[in-house]
Short mmCIF file of all heavy atoms in Angstrom, two decimals:
data_model
loop_
_atom_site.label_atom_id
_atom_site.label_comp_id
_atom_site.label_asym_id
_atom_site.label_seq_id
_atom_site.Cartn_x
_atom_site.Cartn_y
_atom_site.Cartn_z
N GLY A 1 -34.30 -29.02 -40.84
CA GLY A 1 -34.97 -28.98 -39.55
C GLY A 1 -35.79 -30.22 -39.27
O GLY A 1 -36.06 -31.04 -40.14
N TYR A 2 -36.18 -30.30 -37.99
CA TYR A 2 -37.03 -31.40 -37.51
C TYR A 2 -38.06 -30.81 -36.55
O TYR A 2 -37.72 -29.93 -35.73
CB TYR A 2 -36.20 -32.45 -36.78
CG TYR A 2 -37.04 -33.45 -36.00
CD1 TYR A 2 -37.74 -34.45 -36.65
CD2 TYR A 2 -37.14 -33.35 -34.61
CE1 TYR A 2 -38.52 -35.35 -35.93
CE2 TYR A 2 -37.91 -34.25 -33.89
CZ TYR A 2 -38.60 -35.24 -34.55
OH TYR A 2 -39.38 -36.13 -33.85
N LYS A 3 -39.32 -31.27 -36.67
CA LYS A 3 -40.36 -30.80 -35.76
C LYS A 3 -41.22 -31.98 -35.32
O LYS A 3 -41.62 -32.81 -36.15
CB LYS A 3 -41.23 -29.74 -36.42
CG LYS A 3 -42.33 -29.21 -35.49
CD LYS A 3 -43.03 -27.99 -36.07
CE LYS A 3 -43.95 -28.35 -37.19
NZ LYS A 3 -44.76 -27.18 -37.64
N MET A 4 -41.48 -32.01 -34.02
CA MET A 4 -42.37 -33.02 -33.45
C MET A 4 -43.54 -32.29 -32.80
O MET A 4 -43.34 -31.39 -31.97
CB MET A 4 -41.63 -33.87 -32.43
CG MET A 4 -42.47 -34.97 -31.80
SD MET A 4 -41.48 -36.11 -30.79
CE MET A 4 -40.84 -34.99 -29.54
N LEU A 5 -44.76 -32.65 -33.18
CA LEU A 5 -45.95 -31.96 -32.68
C LEU A 5 -46.94 -32.98 -32.14
O LEU A 5 -47.27 -33.97 -32.79
CB LEU A 5 -46.60 -31.16 -33.82
CG LEU A 5 -47.89 -30.42 -33.48
CD1 LEU A 5 -47.64 -29.33 -32.44
CD2 LEU A 5 -48.52 -29.82 -34.74
N ASP A 6 -47.41 -32.73 -30.91
CA ASP A 6 -48.43 -33.57 -30.28
C ASP A 6 -49.42 -32.64 -29.59
O ASP A 6 -49.27 -32.30 -28.42
CB ASP A 6 -47.79 -34.54 -29.28
CG ASP A 6 -48.80 -35.52 -28.69
OD1 ASP A 6 -49.97 -35.47 -29.10
OD2 ASP A 6 -48.41 -36.33 -27.82
N GLN A 7 -50.44 -32.23 -30.36
CA GLN A 7 -51.39 -31.24 -29.86
C GLN A 7 -52.74 -31.43 -30.54
O GLN A 7 -52.80 -31.73 -31.73
CB GLN A 7 -50.86 -29.83 -30.11
CG GLN A 7 -51.64 -28.72 -29.39
CD GLN A 7 -50.94 -27.38 -29.48
OE1 GLN A 7 -50.15 -27.14 -30.37
NE2 GLN A 7 -51.21 -26.51 -28.52
N ASN A 8 -53.81 -31.21 -29.78
CA ASN A 8 -55.15 -31.45 -30.28
C ASN A 8 -55.23 -32.88 -30.83
O ASN A 8 -54.90 -33.83 -30.14
CB ASN A 8 -55.54 -30.42 -31.33
CG ASN A 8 -55.66 -29.02 -30.75
OD1 ASN A 8 -55.74 -28.85 -29.53
ND2 ASN A 8 -55.68 -28.00 -31.61
N ASP A 9 -55.59 -33.02 -32.07
CA ASP A 9 -55.70 -34.36 -32.67
C ASP A 9 -54.55 -34.61 -33.65
O ASP A 9 -54.67 -35.42 -34.57
CB ASP A 9 -57.04 -34.49 -33.40
CG ASP A 9 -58.22 -34.29 -32.46
OD1 ASP A 9 -58.14 -34.78 -31.32
OD2 ASP A 9 -59.19 -33.62 -32.86
N THR A 10 -53.42 -33.94 -33.41
CA THR A 10 -52.25 -34.07 -34.30
C THR A 10 -51.08 -34.68 -33.53
O THR A 10 -50.74 -34.23 -32.44
CB THR A 10 -51.82 -32.69 -34.83
OG1 THR A 10 -52.92 -32.06 -35.48
CG2 THR A 10 -50.67 -32.82 -35.81
N ASP A 11 -50.49 -35.72 -34.11
CA ASP A 11 -49.28 -36.34 -33.53
C ASP A 11 -48.37 -36.70 -34.70
O ASP A 11 -48.55 -37.74 -35.34
CB ASP A 11 -49.67 -37.58 -32.72
CG ASP A 11 -48.47 -38.16 -31.98
OD1 ASP A 11 -47.36 -37.61 -32.12
OD2 ASP A 11 -48.64 -39.17 -31.27
N THR A 12 -47.41 -35.80 -35.00
CA THR A 12 -46.63 -35.97 -36.22
C THR A 12 -45.15 -35.72 -35.99
O THR A 12 -44.75 -35.05 -35.04
CB THR A 12 -47.11 -34.98 -37.32
OG1 THR A 12 -46.98 -33.65 -36.83
CG2 THR A 12 -48.55 -35.23 -37.69
N ASP A 13 -44.35 -36.25 -36.92
CA ASP A 13 -42.92 -35.96 -37.01
C ASP A 13 -42.67 -35.43 -38.42
O ASP A 13 -43.18 -35.99 -39.40
CB ASP A 13 -42.09 -37.23 -36.78
CG ASP A 13 -42.21 -37.73 -35.35
OD1 ASP A 13 -41.49 -37.19 -34.50
OD2 ASP A 13 -43.03 -38.63 -35.12
N GLN A 14 -41.84 -34.38 -38.50
CA GLN A 14 -41.60 -33.75 -39.79
C GLN A 14 -40.11 -33.45 -39.96
O GLN A 14 -39.46 -32.91 -39.06
CB GLN A 14 -42.40 -32.44 -39.88
CG GLN A 14 -42.25 -31.70 -41.20
CD GLN A 14 -43.00 -30.37 -41.20
OE1 GLN A 14 -43.41 -29.88 -40.15
NE2 GLN A 14 -43.19 -29.80 -42.37
N TYR A 15 -39.57 -33.79 -41.13
CA TYR A 15 -38.19 -33.48 -41.50
C TYR A 15 -38.21 -32.59 -42.73
O TYR A 15 -38.97 -32.85 -43.68
CB TYR A 15 -37.41 -34.77 -41.81
CG TYR A 15 -37.32 -35.72 -40.66
CD1 TYR A 15 -38.32 -36.68 -40.43
CD2 TYR A 15 -36.24 -35.68 -39.78
CE1 TYR A 15 -38.24 -37.56 -39.37
CE2 TYR A 15 -36.15 -36.56 -38.72
CZ TYR A 15 -37.16 -37.49 -38.51
OH TYR A 15 -37.08 -38.38 -37.45
N VAL A 16 -37.40 -31.54 -42.72
CA VAL A 16 -37.42 -30.56 -43.80
C VAL A 16 -35.99 -30.24 -44.23
O VAL A 16 -35.09 -30.09 -43.39
CB VAL A 16 -38.13 -29.26 -43.37
CG1 VAL A 16 -38.02 -28.19 -44.46
CG2 VAL A 16 -39.58 -29.52 -43.04
N LEU A 17 -35.78 -30.13 -45.54
CA LEU A 17 -34.52 -29.65 -46.09
C LEU A 17 -34.86 -28.75 -47.26
O LEU A 17 -35.61 -29.16 -48.17
CB LEU A 17 -33.64 -30.81 -46.56
CG LEU A 17 -32.30 -30.41 -47.22
CD1 LEU A 17 -31.40 -29.71 -46.21
CD2 LEU A 17 -31.62 -31.64 -47.81
N SER A 18 -34.35 -27.51 -47.26
CA SER A 18 -34.70 -26.58 -48.33
C SER A 18 -33.47 -25.83 -48.82
O SER A 18 -32.52 -25.59 -48.07
CB SER A 18 -35.76 -25.58 -47.86
OG SER A 18 -35.24 -24.71 -46.87
N PHE A 19 -33.54 -25.46 -50.10
CA PHE A 19 -32.51 -24.64 -50.75
C PHE A 19 -33.21 -23.36 -51.22
O PHE A 19 -34.20 -23.43 -51.95
CB PHE A 19 -31.88 -25.39 -51.92
CG PHE A 19 -31.20 -26.67 -51.51
CD1 PHE A 19 -31.92 -27.86 -51.40
CD2 PHE A 19 -29.84 -26.68 -51.21
CE1 PHE A 19 -31.29 -29.03 -51.01
CE2 PHE A 19 -29.21 -27.86 -50.82
CZ PHE A 19 -29.94 -29.03 -50.71
N ASN A 20 -32.67 -22.21 -50.79
CA ASN A 20 -33.40 -20.96 -50.98
C ASN A 20 -32.51 -19.89 -51.61
O ASN A 20 -31.35 -19.74 -51.23
CB ASN A 20 -33.90 -20.43 -49.63
CG ASN A 20 -34.49 -21.52 -48.76
OD1 ASN A 20 -35.62 -21.92 -48.93
ND2 ASN A 20 -33.69 -22.01 -47.81
N ARG A 21 -33.09 -19.13 -52.51
CA ARG A 21 -32.40 -17.99 -53.12
C ARG A 21 -33.19 -16.73 -52.79
O ARG A 21 -34.38 -16.64 -53.07
CB ARG A 21 -32.32 -18.19 -54.63
CG ARG A 21 -31.60 -17.05 -55.37
CD ARG A 21 -30.11 -17.08 -55.09
NE ARG A 21 -29.40 -16.19 -56.03
CZ ARG A 21 -29.20 -14.89 -55.83
NH1 ARG A 21 -29.67 -14.32 -54.72
NH2 ARG A 21 -28.55 -14.17 -56.71
N HIS A 22 -32.52 -15.75 -52.15
CA HIS A 22 -33.20 -14.56 -51.63
C HIS A 22 -32.70 -13.30 -52.34
O HIS A 22 -31.50 -13.12 -52.53
CB HIS A 22 -32.92 -14.40 -50.13
CG HIS A 22 -33.14 -15.64 -49.32
ND1 HIS A 22 -34.33 -15.94 -48.72
CD2 HIS A 22 -32.30 -16.67 -49.02
CE1 HIS A 22 -34.23 -17.09 -48.06
NE2 HIS A 22 -33.00 -17.55 -48.23
N TRP A 23 -33.66 -12.41 -52.69
CA TRP A 23 -33.33 -11.10 -53.24
C TRP A 23 -34.18 -10.04 -52.52
O TRP A 23 -35.39 -10.23 -52.34
CB TRP A 23 -33.69 -10.99 -54.72
CG TRP A 23 -32.96 -11.86 -55.66
CD1 TRP A 23 -31.83 -11.58 -56.37
CD2 TRP A 23 -33.35 -13.19 -56.09
NE1 TRP A 23 -31.49 -12.62 -57.19
CE2 TRP A 23 -32.40 -13.62 -57.04
CE3 TRP A 23 -34.42 -14.04 -55.76
CZ2 TRP A 23 -32.48 -14.86 -57.67
CZ3 TRP A 23 -34.49 -15.26 -56.37
CH2 TRP A 23 -33.53 -15.67 -57.31
N LEU A 24 -33.57 -8.94 -52.14
CA LEU A 24 -34.33 -7.78 -51.68
C LEU A 24 -34.60 -6.90 -52.88
O LEU A 24 -33.67 -6.37 -53.50
CB LEU A 24 -33.56 -7.01 -50.60
CG LEU A 24 -34.36 -5.86 -49.96
CD1 LEU A 24 -35.49 -6.42 -49.11
CD2 LEU A 24 -33.46 -4.98 -49.11
N LEU A 25 -35.88 -6.70 -53.20
CA LEU A 25 -36.25 -5.93 -54.38
C LEU A 25 -36.17 -4.43 -54.10
O LEU A 25 -36.06 -4.00 -52.94
CB LEU A 25 -37.66 -6.33 -54.82
CG LEU A 25 -37.87 -7.84 -55.07
CD1 LEU A 25 -39.31 -8.12 -55.45
CD2 LEU A 25 -36.91 -8.35 -56.14
N ASP A 26 -36.27 -3.65 -55.15
CA ASP A 26 -36.17 -2.20 -55.00
C ASP A 26 -37.28 -1.63 -54.13
O ASP A 26 -37.13 -0.56 -53.53
CB ASP A 26 -36.21 -1.53 -56.39
CG ASP A 26 -34.95 -1.83 -57.20
OD1 ASP A 26 -33.92 -2.19 -56.58
OD2 ASP A 26 -35.01 -1.72 -58.43
N ASN A 27 -38.43 -2.31 -54.08
CA ASN A 27 -39.54 -1.83 -53.25
C ASN A 27 -39.49 -2.39 -51.83
O ASN A 27 -40.49 -2.33 -51.09
CB ASN A 27 -40.88 -2.20 -53.90
CG ASN A 27 -41.01 -3.70 -54.16
OD1 ASN A 27 -40.19 -4.50 -53.71
ND2 ASN A 27 -42.04 -4.09 -54.90
N ASN A 28 -38.33 -2.97 -51.46
CA ASN A 28 -38.08 -3.49 -50.10
C ASN A 28 -38.86 -4.76 -49.78
O ASN A 28 -38.98 -5.14 -48.60
CB ASN A 28 -38.36 -2.43 -49.03
CG ASN A 28 -37.29 -1.37 -49.02
OD1 ASN A 28 -36.11 -1.66 -49.22
ND2 ASN A 28 -37.68 -0.13 -48.80
N TRP A 29 -39.38 -5.44 -50.77
CA TRP A 29 -39.96 -6.77 -50.56
C TRP A 29 -38.84 -7.80 -50.74
O TRP A 29 -37.99 -7.68 -51.63
CB TRP A 29 -41.07 -7.05 -51.57
CG TRP A 29 -42.35 -6.35 -51.23
CD1 TRP A 29 -42.65 -5.04 -51.43
CD2 TRP A 29 -43.50 -6.95 -50.62
NE1 TRP A 29 -43.92 -4.78 -50.98
CE2 TRP A 29 -44.47 -5.93 -50.48
CE3 TRP A 29 -43.81 -8.23 -50.18
CZ2 TRP A 29 -45.72 -6.16 -49.93
CZ3 TRP A 29 -45.06 -8.48 -49.63
CH2 TRP A 29 -46.00 -7.45 -49.50
N LEU A 30 -38.86 -8.82 -49.89
CA LEU A 30 -37.90 -9.92 -50.00
C LEU A 30 -38.52 -11.03 -50.83
O LEU A 30 -39.55 -11.60 -50.45
CB LEU A 30 -37.51 -10.44 -48.62
CG LEU A 30 -36.49 -11.59 -48.62
CD1 LEU A 30 -35.14 -11.10 -49.13
CD2 LEU A 30 -36.34 -12.18 -47.21
N ARG A 31 -37.90 -11.32 -51.96
CA ARG A 31 -38.38 -12.41 -52.81
C ARG A 31 -37.51 -13.64 -52.58
O ARG A 31 -36.27 -13.54 -52.58
CB ARG A 31 -38.33 -11.99 -54.28
CG ARG A 31 -38.76 -13.10 -55.25
CD ARG A 31 -38.70 -12.60 -56.68
NE ARG A 31 -37.32 -12.28 -57.07
CZ ARG A 31 -37.01 -11.58 -58.16
NH1 ARG A 31 -37.96 -11.11 -58.94
NH2 ARG A 31 -35.74 -11.35 -58.45
N THR A 32 -38.14 -14.77 -52.39
CA THR A 32 -37.41 -16.02 -52.16
C THR A 32 -37.95 -17.10 -53.11
O THR A 32 -39.15 -17.35 -53.14
CB THR A 32 -37.56 -16.49 -50.71
OG1 THR A 32 -37.08 -15.48 -49.82
CG2 THR A 32 -36.78 -17.78 -50.48
N ILE A 33 -37.06 -17.67 -53.86
CA ILE A 33 -37.40 -18.85 -54.68
C ILE A 33 -36.74 -20.04 -54.02
O ILE A 33 -35.56 -19.99 -53.65
CB ILE A 33 -36.90 -18.68 -56.13
CG1 ILE A 33 -37.66 -17.53 -56.80
CG2 ILE A 33 -37.09 -19.96 -56.92
CD1 ILE A 33 -37.19 -17.23 -58.21
N TYR A 34 -37.50 -21.12 -53.84
CA TYR A 34 -36.97 -22.24 -53.06
C TYR A 34 -37.45 -23.57 -53.60
O TYR A 34 -38.42 -23.66 -54.38
CB TYR A 34 -37.39 -22.10 -51.59
CG TYR A 34 -38.88 -22.08 -51.35
CD1 TYR A 34 -39.59 -23.27 -51.15
CD2 TYR A 34 -39.59 -20.88 -51.31
CE1 TYR A 34 -40.96 -23.26 -50.93
CE2 TYR A 34 -40.95 -20.85 -51.09
CZ TYR A 34 -41.64 -22.04 -50.90
OH TYR A 34 -43.00 -22.04 -50.69
N ILE A 35 -36.77 -24.60 -53.17
CA ILE A 35 -37.24 -25.97 -53.36
C ILE A 35 -37.05 -26.68 -52.03
O ILE A 35 -35.97 -26.63 -51.44
CB ILE A 35 -36.51 -26.68 -54.52
CG1 ILE A 35 -37.10 -28.07 -54.73
CG2 ILE A 35 -35.01 -26.72 -54.30
CD1 ILE A 35 -36.67 -28.71 -56.04
N ARG A 36 -38.11 -27.30 -51.54
CA ARG A 36 -38.10 -27.88 -50.19
C ARG A 36 -38.49 -29.36 -50.24
O ARG A 36 -39.47 -29.73 -50.90
CB ARG A 36 -39.08 -27.12 -49.30
CG ARG A 36 -39.06 -27.59 -47.85
CD ARG A 36 -39.96 -26.76 -46.94
NE ARG A 36 -41.35 -27.15 -47.01
CZ ARG A 36 -42.32 -26.43 -47.53
NH1 ARG A 36 -42.05 -25.25 -48.08
NH2 ARG A 36 -43.58 -26.86 -47.55
N TYR A 37 -37.71 -30.14 -49.54
CA TYR A 37 -38.07 -31.54 -49.34
C TYR A 37 -38.75 -31.65 -47.98
O TYR A 37 -38.20 -31.24 -46.96
CB TYR A 37 -36.83 -32.44 -49.38
CG TYR A 37 -37.12 -33.88 -49.02
CD1 TYR A 37 -37.83 -34.70 -49.87
CD2 TYR A 37 -36.68 -34.40 -47.79
CE1 TYR A 37 -38.10 -36.02 -49.53
CE2 TYR A 37 -36.94 -35.72 -47.45
CZ TYR A 37 -37.65 -36.53 -48.32
OH TYR A 37 -37.92 -37.82 -47.96
N ASP A 38 -39.96 -32.19 -47.97
CA ASP A 38 -40.77 -32.26 -46.75
C ASP A 38 -41.25 -33.69 -46.55
O ASP A 38 -42.05 -34.21 -47.34
CB ASP A 38 -41.97 -31.31 -46.87
CG ASP A 38 -42.76 -31.18 -45.58
OD1 ASP A 38 -43.12 -32.21 -45.00
OD2 ASP A 38 -43.02 -30.03 -45.16
N LYS A 39 -40.70 -34.33 -45.51
CA LYS A 39 -41.13 -35.70 -45.18
C LYS A 39 -41.86 -35.66 -43.85
O LYS A 39 -41.32 -35.20 -42.84
CB LYS A 39 -39.93 -36.64 -45.10
CG LYS A 39 -40.31 -38.08 -44.73
CD LYS A 39 -39.10 -38.99 -44.79
CE LYS A 39 -39.45 -40.41 -44.33
NZ LYS A 39 -40.57 -40.99 -45.10
N GLU A 40 -43.10 -36.12 -43.86
CA GLU A 40 -43.93 -36.02 -42.65
C GLU A 40 -44.73 -37.30 -42.47
O GLU A 40 -45.24 -37.90 -43.44
CB GLU A 40 -44.88 -34.82 -42.78
CG GLU A 40 -45.66 -34.52 -41.52
CD GLU A 40 -46.43 -33.20 -41.62
OE1 GLU A 40 -46.13 -32.40 -42.54
OE2 GLU A 40 -47.33 -32.98 -40.79
N SER A 41 -44.84 -37.72 -41.23
CA SER A 41 -45.62 -38.92 -40.92
C SER A 41 -46.24 -38.77 -39.56
O SER A 41 -45.78 -37.99 -38.71
CB SER A 41 -44.74 -40.18 -40.97
OG SER A 41 -43.70 -40.08 -40.00
N GLY A 42 -47.33 -39.52 -39.33
CA GLY A 42 -47.98 -39.46 -38.03
C GLY A 42 -49.46 -39.70 -38.13
O GLY A 42 -49.95 -40.35 -39.07
N VAL A 43 -50.18 -39.12 -37.17
CA VAL A 43 -51.63 -39.32 -37.08
C VAL A 43 -52.31 -37.96 -37.03
O VAL A 43 -51.94 -37.09 -36.25
CB VAL A 43 -52.00 -40.13 -35.82
CG1 VAL A 43 -53.51 -40.31 -35.72
CG2 VAL A 43 -51.30 -41.49 -35.82
#
C-alpha cells in the first residue's frame, strides 16, 4: 500500500509491504504473525 497524509502538522508519504500469516483460534480470536516493510518520509 501507499498513503499520503497532509493534515495538522503532518505531511508524509508512506509505502508498506507486509507478509502475514492468519489463524482463527478456538476462542474466536484472530492471531496474525507478520513482517512488514515500512518506508516513510516527510515532515
Side-chain angles (χ1 to χ4, degrees):
Y2 167 75
K3 181 170 74 173
M4 181 171 62
L5 178 64
D6 185 2
Q7 191 170 23
N8 294 344
D9 300 320
T10 304
D11 186 359
T12 59
D13 293 278
Q14 181 184 15
Y15 299 88
V16 174
L17 177 65
S18 67
F19 299 86
N20 316 280
R21 181 71 167 87
H22 311 268
W23 295 267
L24 186 69
L25 305 178
D26 292 339
N27 56 9
N28 287 323
W29 283 78
L30 181 66
R31 177 180 64 194
T32 302
I33 295 177
Y34 60 88
I35 184 167
R36 184 175 81 249
Y37 173 71
D38 188 309
K39 179 175 176 56
E40 187 171 345
S41 61
V43 179

